[in-house]
PDB file of all heavy atoms in Angstrom:
ATOM      1  N   ILE A 416     133.494 160.403 142.392  1.00 96.00           N
ATOM      2  CA  ILE A 416     134.147 160.249 141.085  1.00 96.00           C
ATOM      3  C   ILE A 416     133.224 159.519 140.118  1.00 96.00           C
ATOM      4  O   ILE A 416     133.068 159.914 138.961  1.00 96.00           O
ATOM      5  CB  ILE A 416     135.491 159.508 141.242  1.00 96.00           C
ATOM      6  CG1 ILE A 416     136.516 160.391 141.957  1.00 96.00           C
ATOM      7  CG2 ILE A 416     136.034 159.060 139.881  1.00 96.00           C
ATOM      8  CD1 ILE A 416     137.779 159.652 142.372  1.00 96.00           C
ATOM      9  N   GLY A 417     132.584 158.459 140.602  1.00 95.00           N
ATOM     10  CA  GLY A 417     131.706 157.672 139.743  1.00 95.00           C
ATOM     11  C   GLY A 417     130.418 158.396 139.392  1.00 95.00           C
ATOM     12  O   GLY A 417     130.044 158.478 138.220  1.00 95.00           O
ATOM     13  N   ARG A 418     129.752 158.948 140.397  1.00 92.00           N
ATOM     14  CA  ARG A 418     128.449 159.582 140.164  1.00 92.00           C
ATOM     15  C   ARG A 418     128.573 160.819 139.275  1.00 92.00           C
ATOM     16  O   ARG A 418     127.723 161.048 138.397  1.00 92.00           O
ATOM     17  CB  ARG A 418     127.823 159.969 141.501  1.00 92.00           C
ATOM     18  CG  ARG A 418     126.522 160.762 141.351  1.00 92.00           C
ATOM     19  CD  ARG A 418     125.925 161.108 142.712  1.00 92.00           C
ATOM     20  NE  ARG A 418     124.816 162.050 142.572  1.00 92.00           N
ATOM     21  CZ  ARG A 418     124.145 162.566 143.606  1.00 92.00           C
ATOM     22  NH1 ARG A 418     124.454 162.199 144.839  1.00 92.00           N
ATOM     23  NH2 ARG A 418     123.172 163.436 143.399  1.00 92.00           N
ATOM     24  N   PHE A 419     129.632 161.601 139.473  1.00 91.00           N
ATOM     25  CA  PHE A 419     129.784 162.857 138.742  1.00 91.00           C
ATOM     26  C   PHE A 419     130.736 162.732 137.544  1.00 91.00           C
ATOM     27  O   PHE A 419     131.089 163.736 136.941  1.00 91.00           O
ATOM     28  CB  PHE A 419     130.247 163.965 139.693  1.00 91.00           C
ATOM     29  CG  PHE A 419     129.182 164.402 140.650  1.00 91.00           C
ATOM     30  CD1 PHE A 419     128.957 163.703 141.830  1.00 91.00           C
ATOM     31  CD2 PHE A 419     128.366 165.473 140.360  1.00 91.00           C
ATOM     32  CE1 PHE A 419     127.964 164.078 142.714  1.00 91.00           C
ATOM     33  CE2 PHE A 419     127.358 165.870 141.240  1.00 91.00           C
ATOM     34  CZ  PHE A 419     127.148 165.167 142.410  1.00 91.00           C
ATOM     35  N   ARG A 420     131.106 161.508 137.238  1.00 90.00           N
ATOM     36  CA  ARG A 420     131.950 161.225 136.073  1.00 90.00           C
ATOM     37  C   ARG A 420     133.192 162.118 136.057  1.00 90.00           C
ATOM     38  O   ARG A 420     133.528 162.772 135.059  1.00 90.00           O
ATOM     39  CB  ARG A 420     131.152 161.360 134.779  1.00 90.00           C
ATOM     40  CG  ARG A 420     129.997 160.371 134.676  1.00 90.00           C
ATOM     41  CD  ARG A 420     129.465 160.244 133.266  1.00 90.00           C
ATOM     42  NE  ARG A 420     128.744 161.414 132.803  1.00 90.00           N
ATOM     43  CZ  ARG A 420     127.457 161.653 133.058  1.00 90.00           C
ATOM     44  NH1 ARG A 420     126.755 160.797 133.787  1.00 90.00           N
ATOM     45  NH2 ARG A 420     126.860 162.726 132.584  1.00 90.00           N
ATOM     46  N   VAL A 421     133.884 162.125 137.185  1.00 92.00           N
ATOM     47  CA  VAL A 421     135.120 162.892 137.334  1.00 92.00           C
ATOM     48  C   VAL A 421     136.268 162.100 136.719  1.00 92.00           C
ATOM     49  O   VAL A 421     136.470 160.931 137.059  1.00 92.00           O
ATOM     50  CB  VAL A 421     135.409 163.181 138.825  1.00 92.00           C
ATOM     51  CG1 VAL A 421     136.727 163.932 138.978  1.00 92.00           C
ATOM     52  CG2 VAL A 421     134.267 163.975 139.450  1.00 92.00           C
ATOM     53  N   LYS A 422     137.001 162.715 135.815  1.00 88.00           N
ATOM     54  CA  LYS A 422     138.153 162.050 135.203  1.00 88.00           C
ATOM     55  C   LYS A 422     139.347 162.186 136.130  1.00 88.00           C
ATOM     56  O   LYS A 422     140.000 163.218 136.210  1.00 88.00           O
ATOM     57  CB  LYS A 422     138.453 162.653 133.835  1.00 88.00           C
ATOM     58  CG  LYS A 422     137.367 162.381 132.801  1.00 88.00           C
ATOM     59  CD  LYS A 422     137.702 163.007 131.459  1.00 88.00           C
ATOM     60  CE  LYS A 422     136.583 162.745 130.447  1.00 88.00           C
ATOM     61  NZ  LYS A 422     136.848 163.431 129.152  1.00 88.00           N
ATOM     62  N   ALA A 423     139.600 161.107 136.882  1.00 91.00           N
ATOM     63  CA  ALA A 423     140.707 161.064 137.836  1.00 91.00           C
ATOM     64  C   ALA A 423     141.153 159.617 137.963  1.00 91.00           C
ATOM     65  O   ALA A 423     140.365 158.691 137.727  1.00 91.00           O
ATOM     66  CB  ALA A 423     140.277 161.617 139.197  1.00 91.00           C
ATOM     67  N   SER A 424     142.410 159.432 138.348  1.00 90.00           N
ATOM     68  CA  SER A 424     142.932 158.070 138.454  1.00 90.00           C
ATOM     69  C   SER A 424     142.366 157.319 139.648  1.00 90.00           C
ATOM     70  O   SER A 424     142.489 156.099 139.731  1.00 90.00           O
ATOM     71  CB  SER A 424     144.468 158.101 138.540  1.00 90.00           C
ATOM     72  OG  SER A 424     144.896 158.886 139.637  1.00 90.00           O
ATOM     73  N   GLY A 425     141.737 158.037 140.581  1.00 94.00           N
ATOM     74  CA  GLY A 425     141.135 157.397 141.748  1.00 94.00           C
ATOM     75  C   GLY A 425     141.177 158.301 142.956  1.00 94.00           C
ATOM     76  O   GLY A 425     141.613 159.461 142.873  1.00 94.00           O
ATOM     77  N   PRO A 426     140.738 157.822 144.125  1.00 97.00           N
ATOM     78  CA  PRO A 426     140.706 158.645 145.338  1.00 97.00           C
ATOM     79  C   PRO A 426     142.066 159.176 145.763  1.00 97.00           C
ATOM     80  O   PRO A 426     142.135 160.185 146.467  1.00 97.00           O
ATOM     81  CB  PRO A 426     140.132 157.684 146.398  1.00 97.00           C
ATOM     82  CG  PRO A 426     139.371 156.664 145.628  1.00 97.00           C
ATOM     83  CD  PRO A 426     140.130 156.487 144.345  1.00 97.00           C
ATOM     84  N   ASP A 427     143.152 158.492 145.342  1.00 96.00           N
ATOM     85  CA  ASP A 427     144.492 158.945 145.731  1.00 96.00           C
ATOM     86  C   ASP A 427     145.034 160.046 144.829  1.00 96.00           C
ATOM     87  O   ASP A 427     146.110 160.594 145.101  1.00 96.00           O
ATOM     88  CB  ASP A 427     145.471 157.764 145.729  1.00 96.00           C
ATOM     89  CG  ASP A 427     145.149 156.754 146.828  1.00 96.00           C
ATOM     90  OD1 ASP A 427     144.599 157.173 147.869  1.00 96.00           O
ATOM     91  OD2 ASP A 427     145.439 155.562 146.649  1.00 96.00           O
ATOM     92  N   ALA A 428     144.344 160.372 143.751  1.00 94.00           N
ATOM     93  CA  ALA A 428     144.803 161.432 142.845  1.00 94.00           C
ATOM     94  C   ALA A 428     144.842 162.763 143.585  1.00 94.00           C
ATOM     95  O   ALA A 428     143.933 163.085 144.350  1.00 94.00           O
ATOM     96  CB  ALA A 428     143.892 161.524 141.631  1.00 94.00           C
ATOM     97  N   LEU A 429     145.895 163.546 143.361  1.00 94.00           N
ATOM     98  CA  LEU A 429     145.992 164.860 143.980  1.00 94.00           C
ATOM     99  C   LEU A 429     144.998 165.813 143.319  1.00 94.00           C
ATOM    100  O   LEU A 429     144.769 165.744 142.111  1.00 94.00           O
ATOM    101  CB  LEU A 429     147.408 165.411 143.848  1.00 94.00           C
ATOM    102  CG  LEU A 429     148.527 164.604 144.502  1.00 94.00           C
ATOM    103  CD1 LEU A 429     149.866 165.319 144.335  1.00 94.00           C
ATOM    104  CD2 LEU A 429     148.244 164.355 145.980  1.00 94.00           C
ATOM    105  N   ALA A 430     144.442 166.712 144.115  1.00 95.00           N
ATOM    106  CA  ALA A 430     143.469 167.671 143.578  1.00 95.00           C
ATOM    107  C   ALA A 430     144.067 168.479 142.431  1.00 95.00           C
ATOM    108  O   ALA A 430     143.405 168.743 141.426  1.00 95.00           O
ATOM    109  CB  ALA A 430     142.984 168.603 144.691  1.00 95.00           C
ATOM    110  N   LYS A 431     145.343 168.851 142.552  1.00 91.00           N
ATOM    111  CA  LYS A 431     145.970 169.681 141.521  1.00 91.00           C
ATOM    112  C   LYS A 431     146.221 168.937 140.220  1.00 91.00           C
ATOM    113  O   LYS A 431     146.509 169.565 139.197  1.00 91.00           O
ATOM    114  CB  LYS A 431     147.290 170.256 142.033  1.00 91.00           C
ATOM    115  CG  LYS A 431     148.370 169.218 142.309  1.00 91.00           C
ATOM    116  CD  LYS A 431     149.634 169.877 142.848  1.00 91.00           C
ATOM    117  CE  LYS A 431     150.719 168.857 143.151  1.00 91.00           C
ATOM    118  NZ  LYS A 431     151.932 169.505 143.726  1.00 91.00           N
ATOM    119  N   SER A 432     146.065 167.604 140.227  1.00 89.00           N
ATOM    120  CA  SER A 432     146.280 166.832 139.005  1.00 89.00           C
ATOM    121  C   SER A 432     145.046 166.817 138.111  1.00 89.00           C
ATOM    122  O   SER A 432     145.130 166.410 136.952  1.00 89.00           O
ATOM    123  CB  SER A 432     146.679 165.390 139.352  1.00 89.00           C
ATOM    124  OG  SER A 432     145.574 164.656 139.878  1.00 89.00           O
ATOM    125  N   LEU A 433     143.902 167.252 138.633  1.00 88.00           N
ATOM    126  CA  LEU A 433     142.664 167.249 137.856  1.00 88.00           C
ATOM    127  C   LEU A 433     142.561 168.518 137.007  1.00 88.00           C
ATOM    128  O   LEU A 433     143.079 169.579 137.393  1.00 88.00           O
ATOM    129  CB  LEU A 433     141.444 167.166 138.769  1.00 88.00           C
ATOM    130  CG  LEU A 433     140.956 165.766 139.175  1.00 88.00           C
ATOM    131  CD1 LEU A 433     142.001 165.022 139.981  1.00 88.00           C
ATOM    132  CD2 LEU A 433     139.653 165.877 139.953  1.00 88.00           C
ATOM    133  N   SER A 434     141.898 168.413 135.870  1.00 82.00           N
ATOM    134  CA  SER A 434     141.573 169.615 135.105  1.00 82.00           C
ATOM    135  C   SER A 434     140.597 170.455 135.920  1.00 82.00           C
ATOM    136  O   SER A 434     139.942 169.963 136.848  1.00 82.00           O
ATOM    137  CB  SER A 434     140.938 169.242 133.764  1.00 82.00           C
ATOM    138  OG  SER A 434     139.633 168.718 133.961  1.00 82.00           O
ATOM    139  N   GLY A 435     140.491 171.739 135.561  1.00 80.00           N
ATOM    140  CA  GLY A 435     139.628 172.629 136.323  1.00 80.00           C
ATOM    141  C   GLY A 435     138.190 172.158 136.379  1.00 80.00           C
ATOM    142  O   GLY A 435     137.547 172.174 137.428  1.00 80.00           O
ATOM    143  N   GLY A 436     137.666 171.720 135.228  1.00 83.00           N
ATOM    144  CA  GLY A 436     136.280 171.279 135.188  1.00 83.00           C
ATOM    145  C   GLY A 436     136.033 170.028 135.997  1.00 83.00           C
ATOM    146  O   GLY A 436     135.000 169.888 136.670  1.00 83.00           O
ATOM    147  N   ASN A 437     136.975 169.088 135.972  1.00 89.00           N
ATOM    148  CA  ASN A 437     136.805 167.860 136.747  1.00 89.00           C
ATOM    149  C   ASN A 437     136.914 168.122 138.243  1.00 89.00           C
ATOM    150  O   ASN A 437     136.197 167.509 139.039  1.00 89.00           O
ATOM    151  CB  ASN A 437     137.834 166.814 136.296  1.00 89.00           C
ATOM    152  CG  ASN A 437     137.388 166.082 135.050  1.00 89.00           C
ATOM    153  OD1 ASN A 437     136.399 165.363 135.061  1.00 89.00           O
ATOM    154  ND2 ASN A 437     138.095 166.292 133.949  1.00 89.00           N
ATOM    155  N   LEU A 438     137.798 169.033 138.633  1.00 92.00           N
ATOM    156  CA  LEU A 438     137.879 169.388 140.047  1.00 92.00           C
ATOM    157  C   LEU A 438     136.588 170.071 140.497  1.00 92.00           C
ATOM    158  O   LEU A 438     136.102 169.827 141.602  1.00 92.00           O
ATOM    159  CB  LEU A 438     139.079 170.305 140.294  1.00 92.00           C
ATOM    160  CG  LEU A 438     139.327 170.685 141.761  1.00 92.00           C
ATOM    161  CD1 LEU A 438     139.511 169.448 142.631  1.00 92.00           C
ATOM    162  CD2 LEU A 438     140.537 171.601 141.876  1.00 92.00           C
ATOM    163  N   GLN A 439     136.016 170.895 139.614  1.00 91.00           N
ATOM    164  CA  GLN A 439     134.747 171.537 139.958  1.00 91.00           C
ATOM    165  C   GLN A 439     133.653 170.506 140.172  1.00 91.00           C
ATOM    166  O   GLN A 439     132.868 170.603 141.131  1.00 91.00           O
ATOM    167  CB  GLN A 439     134.346 172.520 138.845  1.00 91.00           C
ATOM    168  CG  GLN A 439     133.066 173.283 139.109  1.00 91.00           C
ATOM    169  CD  GLN A 439     133.213 174.369 140.164  1.00 91.00           C
ATOM    170  OE1 GLN A 439     134.292 174.538 140.734  1.00 91.00           O
ATOM    171  NE2 GLN A 439     132.154 175.100 140.417  1.00 91.00           N
ATOM    172  N   LYS A 440     133.574 169.506 139.300  1.00 92.00           N
ATOM    173  CA  LYS A 440     132.566 168.456 139.473  1.00 92.00           C
ATOM    174  C   LYS A 440     132.769 167.723 140.801  1.00 92.00           C
ATOM    175  O   LYS A 440     131.804 167.386 141.494  1.00 92.00           O
ATOM    176  CB  LYS A 440     132.624 167.477 138.297  1.00 92.00           C
ATOM    177  CG  LYS A 440     132.092 168.034 137.002  1.00 92.00           C
ATOM    178  CD  LYS A 440     131.841 166.944 135.967  1.00 92.00           C
ATOM    179  CE  LYS A 440     133.116 166.366 135.414  1.00 92.00           C
ATOM    180  NZ  LYS A 440     132.859 165.375 134.344  1.00 92.00           N
ATOM    181  N   PHE A 441     134.034 167.491 141.151  1.00 95.00           N
ATOM    182  CA  PHE A 441     134.312 166.782 142.399  1.00 95.00           C
ATOM    183  C   PHE A 441     133.867 167.609 143.607  1.00 95.00           C
ATOM    184  O   PHE A 441     133.226 167.077 144.537  1.00 95.00           O
ATOM    185  CB  PHE A 441     135.803 166.455 142.521  1.00 95.00           C
ATOM    186  CG  PHE A 441     136.152 165.698 143.774  1.00 95.00           C
ATOM    187  CD1 PHE A 441     135.970 164.329 143.848  1.00 95.00           C
ATOM    188  CD2 PHE A 441     136.628 166.372 144.890  1.00 95.00           C
ATOM    189  CE1 PHE A 441     136.264 163.634 145.012  1.00 95.00           C
ATOM    190  CE2 PHE A 441     136.927 165.685 146.056  1.00 95.00           C
ATOM    191  CZ  PHE A 441     136.746 164.311 146.115  1.00 95.00           C
ATOM    192  N   ILE A 442     134.171 168.907 143.609  1.00 96.00           N
ATOM    193  CA  ILE A 442     133.815 169.757 144.752  1.00 96.00           C
ATOM    194  C   ILE A 442     132.306 169.882 144.880  1.00 96.00           C
ATOM    195  O   ILE A 442     131.747 169.763 145.986  1.00 96.00           O
ATOM    196  CB  ILE A 442     134.478 171.139 144.609  1.00 96.00           C
ATOM    197  CG1 ILE A 442     136.000 171.012 144.716  1.00 96.00           C
ATOM    198  CG2 ILE A 442     133.954 172.103 145.671  1.00 96.00           C
ATOM    199  CD1 ILE A 442     136.750 172.271 144.340  1.00 96.00           C
ATOM    200  N   VAL A 443     131.617 170.110 143.758  1.00 95.00           N
ATOM    201  CA  VAL A 443     130.154 170.188 143.803  1.00 95.00           C
ATOM    202  C   VAL A 443     129.576 168.865 144.301  1.00 95.00           C
ATOM    203  O   VAL A 443     128.669 168.837 145.155  1.00 95.00           O
ATOM    204  CB  VAL A 443     129.583 170.544 142.416  1.00 95.00           C
ATOM    205  CG1 VAL A 443     128.060 170.417 142.414  1.00 95.00           C
ATOM    206  CG2 VAL A 443     129.986 171.967 142.024  1.00 95.00           C
ATOM    207  N   GLY A 444     130.104 167.752 143.792  1.00 95.00           N
ATOM    208  CA  GLY A 444     129.627 166.435 144.226  1.00 95.00           C
ATOM    209  C   GLY A 444     129.860 166.189 145.700  1.00 95.00           C
ATOM    210  O   GLY A 444     128.995 165.636 146.394  1.00 95.00           O
ATOM    211  N   ARG A 445     131.036 166.588 146.182  1.00 97.00           N
ATOM    212  CA  ARG A 445     131.354 166.429 147.607  1.00 97.00           C
ATOM    213  C   ARG A 445     130.336 167.152 148.479  1.00 97.00           C
ATOM    214  O   ARG A 445     129.869 166.611 149.499  1.00 97.00           O
ATOM    215  CB  ARG A 445     132.759 166.988 147.870  1.00 97.00           C
ATOM    216  CG  ARG A 445     133.210 166.917 149.325  1.00 97.00           C
ATOM    217  CD  ARG A 445     134.498 167.696 149.515  1.00 97.00           C
ATOM    218  NE  ARG A 445     134.281 169.128 149.352  1.00 97.00           N
ATOM    219  CZ  ARG A 445     135.260 170.020 149.182  1.00 97.00           C
ATOM    220  NH1 ARG A 445     136.526 169.623 149.130  1.00 97.00           N
ATOM    221  NH2 ARG A 445     134.972 171.306 149.060  1.00 97.00           N
ATOM    222  N   GLU A 446     129.958 168.372 148.096  1.00 96.00           N
ATOM    223  CA  GLU A 446     129.010 169.143 148.902  1.00 96.00           C
ATOM    224  C   GLU A 446     127.598 168.564 148.809  1.00 96.00           C
ATOM    225  O   GLU A 446     126.864 168.510 149.799  1.00 96.00           O
ATOM    226  CB  GLU A 446     129.020 170.605 148.461  1.00 96.00           C
ATOM    227  CG  GLU A 446     130.363 171.295 148.648  1.00 96.00           C
ATOM    228  CD  GLU A 446     130.880 171.202 150.074  1.00 96.00           C
ATOM    229  OE1 GLU A 446     130.126 171.532 151.009  1.00 96.00           O
ATOM    230  OE2 GLU A 446     132.043 170.783 150.265  1.00 96.00           O
ATOM    231  N   ILE A 447     127.202 168.122 147.618  1.00 96.00           N
ATOM    232  CA  ILE A 447     125.868 167.529 147.468  1.00 96.00           C
ATOM    233  C   ILE A 447     125.762 166.253 148.289  1.00 96.00           C
ATOM    234  O   ILE A 447     124.713 165.982 148.905  1.00 96.00           O
ATOM    235  CB  ILE A 447     125.578 167.264 145.979  1.00 96.00           C
ATOM    236  CG1 ILE A 447     125.328 168.592 145.249  1.00 96.00           C
ATOM    237  CG2 ILE A 447     124.375 166.339 145.810  1.00 96.00           C
ATOM    238  CD1 ILE A 447     125.105 168.458 143.767  1.00 96.00           C
ATOM    239  N   GLU A 448     126.825 165.472 148.341  1.00 94.00           N
ATOM    240  CA  GLU A 448     126.817 164.211 149.096  1.00 94.00           C
ATOM    241  C   GLU A 448     126.673 164.424 150.596  1.00 94.00           C
ATOM    242  O   GLU A 448     126.371 163.487 151.333  1.00 94.00           O
ATOM    243  CB  GLU A 448     128.086 163.413 148.806  1.00 94.00           C
ATOM    244  CG  GLU A 448     128.125 162.760 147.435  1.00 94.00           C
ATOM    245  CD  GLU A 448     127.163 161.586 147.320  1.00 94.00           C
ATOM    246  OE1 GLU A 448     126.625 161.151 148.357  1.00 94.00           O
ATOM    247  OE2 GLU A 448     126.955 161.103 146.195  1.00 94.00           O
ATOM    248  N   SER A 449     126.873 165.660 151.057  1.00 93.00           N
ATOM    249  CA  SER A 449     126.695 165.917 152.495  1.00 93.00           C
ATOM    250  C   SER A 449     125.226 166.035 152.885  1.00 93.00           C
ATOM    251  O   SER A 449     124.901 166.131 154.064  1.00 93.00           O
ATOM    252  CB  SER A 449     127.445 167.202 152.887  1.00 93.00           C
ATOM    253  OG  SER A 449     126.820 168.349 152.328  1.00 93.00           O
ATOM    254  N   GLY A 450     124.321 166.043 151.873  1.00 93.00           N
ATOM    255  CA  GLY A 450     122.887 166.120 152.151  1.00 93.00           C
ATOM    256  C   GLY A 450     122.480 167.408 152.830  1.00 93.00           C
ATOM    257  O   GLY A 450     121.799 167.380 153.870  1.00 93.00           O
ATOM    258  N   PRO A 451     122.826 168.572 152.275  1.00 96.00           N
ATOM    259  CA  PRO A 451     122.588 169.835 152.979  1.00 96.00           C
ATOM    260  C   PRO A 451     121.126 170.270 152.978  1.00 96.00           C
ATOM    261  O   PRO A 451     120.348 169.889 152.104  1.00 96.00           O
ATOM    262  CB  PRO A 451     123.435 170.824 152.179  1.00 96.00           C
ATOM    263  CG  PRO A 451     123.416 170.277 150.782  1.00 96.00           C
ATOM    264  CD  PRO A 451     123.452 168.769 150.961  1.00 96.00           C
ATOM    265  N   LYS A 452     120.775 171.095 153.969  1.00 97.00           N
ATOM    266  CA  LYS A 452     119.491 171.783 153.959  1.00 97.00           C
ATOM    267  C   LYS A 452     119.562 173.009 153.049  1.00 97.00           C
ATOM    268  O   LYS A 452     118.594 173.363 152.389  1.00 97.00           O
ATOM    269  CB  LYS A 452     119.121 172.232 155.377  1.00 97.00           C
ATOM    270  CG  LYS A 452     118.939 171.110 156.379  1.00 97.00           C
ATOM    271  CD  LYS A 452     118.667 171.691 157.760  1.00 97.00           C
ATOM    272  CE  LYS A 452     118.493 170.609 158.805  1.00 97.00           C
ATOM    273  NZ  LYS A 452     118.298 171.181 160.170  1.00 97.00           N
ATOM    274  N   VAL A 453     120.734 173.658 153.068  1.00 98.00           N
ATOM    275  CA  VAL A 453     120.992 174.834 152.239  1.00 98.00           C
ATOM    276  C   VAL A 453     122.326 174.641 151.539  1.00 98.00           C
ATOM    277  O   VAL A 453     123.310 174.255 152.179  1.00 98.00           O
ATOM    278  CB  VAL A 453     121.036 176.133 153.087  1.00 98.00           C
ATOM    279  CG1 VAL A 453     121.489 177.315 152.228  1.00 98.00           C
ATOM    280  CG2 VAL A 453     119.685 176.411 153.721  1.00 98.00           C
ATOM    281  N   LEU A 454     122.367 174.885 150.234  1.00 98.00           N
ATOM    282  CA  LEU A 454     123.616 174.814 149.474  1.00 98.00           C
ATOM    283  C   LEU A 454     123.841 176.171 148.809  1.00 98.00           C
ATOM    284  O   LEU A 454     122.997 176.650 148.056  1.00 98.00           O
ATOM    285  CB  LEU A 454     123.562 173.714 148.412  1.00 98.00           C
ATOM    286  CG  LEU A 454     124.788 173.632 147.482  1.00 98.00           C
ATOM    287  CD1 LEU A 454     126.051 173.309 148.279  1.00 98.00           C
ATOM    288  CD2 LEU A 454     124.570 172.593 146.383  1.00 98.00           C
ATOM    289  N   ILE A 455     124.983 176.766 149.112  1.00 98.00           N
ATOM    290  CA  ILE A 455     125.383 178.029 148.482  1.00 98.00           C
ATOM    291  C   ILE A 455     126.511 177.713 147.501  1.00 98.00           C
ATOM    292  O   ILE A 455     127.525 177.127 147.881  1.00 98.00           O
ATOM    293  CB  ILE A 455     125.842 179.050 149.536  1.00 98.00           C
ATOM    294  CG1 ILE A 455     124.701 179.349 150.514  1.00 98.00           C
ATOM    295  CG2 ILE A 455     126.332 180.336 148.868  1.00 98.00           C
ATOM    296  CD1 ILE A 455     125.109 180.219 151.693  1.00 98.00           C
ATOM    297  N   VAL A 456     126.314 178.084 146.243  1.00 97.00           N
ATOM    298  CA  VAL A 456     127.276 177.747 145.192  1.00 97.00           C
ATOM    299  C   VAL A 456     127.701 179.018 144.470  1.00 97.00           C
ATOM    300  O   VAL A 456     126.855 179.789 144.010  1.00 97.00           O
ATOM    301  CB  VAL A 456     126.675 176.771 144.152  1.00 97.00           C
ATOM    302  CG1 VAL A 456     127.745 176.269 143.205  1.00 97.00           C
ATOM    303  CG2 VAL A 456     125.987 175.603 144.843  1.00 97.00           C
TER     304      VAL A 456
END
Side-chain angles (χ1 to χ4, degrees):
I416 290 170
R418 174 179 170 183
F419 289 84
R420 298 196 289 276
V421 178
K422 293 180 181 176
S424 57
D427 293 331
L429 299 183
K431 65 181 179 182
S432 72
L433 272 63
S434 70
N437 278 295
L438 184 57
Q439 182 74 358
K440 288 194 288 184
F441 181 81
I442 294 170
V443 171
R445 179 189 68 195
E446 298 305 309
I447 288 177
E448 286 289 349
S449 69
K452 298 176 181 177
V453 172
L454 175 62
I455 300 173
V456 189

